[in-house]
Amino acid sequence: QVQLVESGGGSVQAGGSLRLSCVSYGFSASTYCMAWFRQVPGKEREGVAAINSANYRPYTDSVKGRFTISQDNVKNIYLQMNSLNADDTAMYYCAAKRGTYCSLRSIDDFEYWGQGTQVTVSS
């Protein structure tokens, strides 16, 4: 019955910014990892950024220095995306798992997924 609901996607010019939100419902694990993934049709789903209950925050190399993941006190997460470029165009998904282990390469470990929010960057 866990639900993850993303919002904040849209169309933006290259160089612009967006802030994605993921609101969780019914996710009460005391140790956890939550993450943002993205996917372009025809390509593998890519881990973008994650944050766990110990405040470990890995990022994929292509977004370091541009994106910032954060969380509030009720297991909601956010992704501030700055200096967007065309390569950031993708469907962005929020994901969550129990346990503190966070790996952006371990997609199958994430138990819960949102429906996605589309980000389109025009150049």
Side-chain angles (χ1 to χ4, degrees):
Q1 64 180 17
V2 172
Q3 289 184 282
L4 304 174
V5 181
E6 305 99 331
S7 63
S11 182
V12 66
Q13 297 284 333
S17 298
L18 286 172
R19 185 174 186 259
L20 306 184
S21 297
C22 173
V23 178
S24 67
Y25 300 88
F27 186 59
S28 60
S30 58
T31 59
Y32 58 87
C33 174
M34 299 183 69
W36 291 97
F37 290 80
R38 64 187 180 186
Q39 188 167 28
V40 176
K43 296 184 179 180
E44 292 185 346
R45 190 166 296 188
E46 175 190 30
V48 178
I51 186 165
N52 73 1
S53 47
N55 204 33
Y56 172 60
R57 292 186 283 181
Y59 296 87
T60 193
D61 286 346
S62 65
V63 309
K64 288 179 180 177
R66 299 189 298 122
F67 291 9
T68 303
I69 191 169
S70 60
Q71 65 181 358
D72 61 20
N73 293 322
V74 289
K75 296 190 179 69
N76 303 322
I77 64 168
Y78 307 89
L79 188 67
Q80 179 66 47
M81 305 186 294
N82 298 328
S83 301
L84 287 162
N85 59 62
D87 292 335
D88 298 315
T89 295
M91 184 73 74
Y92 283 71
Y93 298 91
C94 180
K97 62 178 290 294
R98 294 169 293 175
T100 192
Y101 181 70
C102 270
S103 174
L104 295 175
R105 298 182 179 91
S106 299
I107 294 173
D108 290 344
D109 288 347
F110 287 85
E111 303 169 88
Y112 309 108
W113 292 85
Q115 295 295 309
T117 185
Q118 178 68 39
V119 172
T120 302
V121 184
S122 301
S123 60

